[in-house]
Amino acid sequence: MSGQWSVDGEPGTLLPVDDRGLAYGDGVFETVRVNRGVAVWGTQHLARLAAGCAALEIHLPGLGALESELAGMAAQLGEGIVKLIVTRGGGARGYRPDPDARARRIASAHGLPMPSTRPLVVDIAQLRLSVQPRLAGLKHLNRIEQVLAARECATRGLDEAILADTDGHATSGVATNLFWRRDGHWHTPAVDRAGVAGVCRAWILERRPDTRIVHAPVDELAGAEALFLCNSVRGILPVARMGPRALPIGPHTRALMSELHDFCPAFHPAQGAAT
């Protein structure tokens, strides 16, 4: 099942060359973990996708079709990842979209990434994220900043990198949301100026409502007592080292990892937490 693709519900991988997702990144996407044939946080992913389409003024008549495709692919896949993409569809050359464009939906099934066998080694990225409140929080298709940041990670031998925005505020990891513990509280960056409002992040905020959502200079992370990254595919990933500084995993991080495992066994509480 891994590697299967469909376009507008039909098996295949071909897209018209005038698709605006290809030309301009004009669309949104979701990457959904599948466990035991079920889409983990499937409802939340579809809701975020619909909200992203609304924010970009993409008319999405086929949300029910996407829901069925997600459920069907998940059931066949068993374990893995289903990626959903919605583009604005086709159109003539130029930035101005056709108001009558028909949104295009793309679904694909993939295997899981290699699991983390140790806590992460990270550092502050040199790349800075653009500040754009209109797009902040959305999982839109414009990901060239993350592509360059991932390349920087590979060049520097990092597992992940902490990204700041152009104002110097801590924002996220490359493909993850960021949490750190300080002064007896969890902190996570606000995503109203840059970054993505992650589904796993939302789950954590529901369970730790005293988490402080902040605009904090990235330098503040130097005083963190513990730090982890998270996303809806890999779960909670504790950080063992940021730059030259070693960080403990700590009981608060372990407790969250255990709770996430109880919610979904795919997220093993020891994954990425070996010492």
Side-chain angles (χ1 to χ4, degrees):
M1 177 63 188
S2 179
Q4 178 177 329
W5 291 73
S6 69
V7 179
D8 289 332
E10 297 296 327
T13 59
L14 299 181
L15 287 177
V17 295
D18 70 345
D19 188 90
R20 291 180 61 87
L22 173 65
Y24 305 115
D26 191 357
V28 295
F29 73 103
E30 296 290 327
T31 308
V32 186
R33 177 70 181 261
V34 174
N35 177 239
R36 300 177 181 177
V38 176
V40 182
W41 290 308
T43 299
Q44 290 86 342
H45 280 289
L46 289 169
R48 185 174 63 176
L49 185 145
C53 285
L56 296 180
E57 301 178 11
I58 295 174
H59 178 53
L60 178 61
L63 186 61
L66 268 173
E67 184 175 7
S68 296
E69 288 168 16
L70 173 59
M73 277 194 168
Q76 293 181 57
L77 183 61
E79 299 289 333
I81 297 167
V82 173
K83 184 169 184 178
L84 304 176
I85 301 173
V86 173
T87 77
R88 196 179 299 272
R93 191 203 67 80
Y95 291 134
R96 181 177 295 180
D98 180 350
D100 298 320
R102 180 177 177 272
R104 178 168 287 119
R105 68 183 192 274
I106 303 162
S108 57
H110 307 271
L112 291 169
M114 290 293 292
S116 300
T117 57
R118 57 173 175 77
L120 302 184
V121 174
V122 308
D123 205 348
I124 308 300
Q126 296 173 356
L127 182 136
R128 293 290 183 263
L129 294 179
S130 302
V131 172
Q132 175 47 269
R134 175 79 182 267
L135 299 177
L138 304 183
K139 204 168 178 69
H140 54 75
L141 291 175
N142 292 270
R143 295 289 126 190
I144 193 63
E145 292 174 324
Q146 285 73 21
V147 169
L148 294 176
R151 183 176 176 83
E152 181 182 336
C153 283
T155 300
R156 296 174 60 186
L158 301 173
D159 297 315
E160 253 273 21
I162 306 299
L163 300 178
D165 64 24
T166 50
D167 292 331
H169 293 122
T171 300
S172 66
V174 179
T176 52
N177 285 117
L178 166 66
F179 286 78
W180 68 95
R181 192 157 184 91
R182 185 172 182 176
D183 301 328
H185 289 274
W186 286 113
H187 297 69
T188 193
V191 290
D192 57 347
R193 294 167 56 79
V196 173
V199 169
C200 187
R201 173 182 181 269
W203 181 91
I204 292 169
L205 291 175
E206 287 179 359
R207 280 148 185 80
R208 297 295 185 273
D210 61 338
T211 299
R212 295 175 177 175
I213 301 173
V214 296
H215 294 103
V218 72
D219 293 345
E220 183 175 305
L221 299 182
E225 301 156 14
L227 189 150
F228 68 81
L229 301 172
C230 67
N231 66 25
S232 59
V233 169
R234 301 178 68 191
I236 294 171
L237 301 168
V239 170
R241 182 172 296 276
M242 187 179 72
R245 181 169 177 249
L247 286 165
I249 299 175
H252 300 285
T253 303
R254 293 185 187 277
L256 268 171
M257 295 177 75
S258 180
E259 289 176 42
L260 183 57
H261 170 70
D262 291 342
F263 167 74
C264 175
F267 302 117
H268 196 278
Q271 182 173 311
T275 55

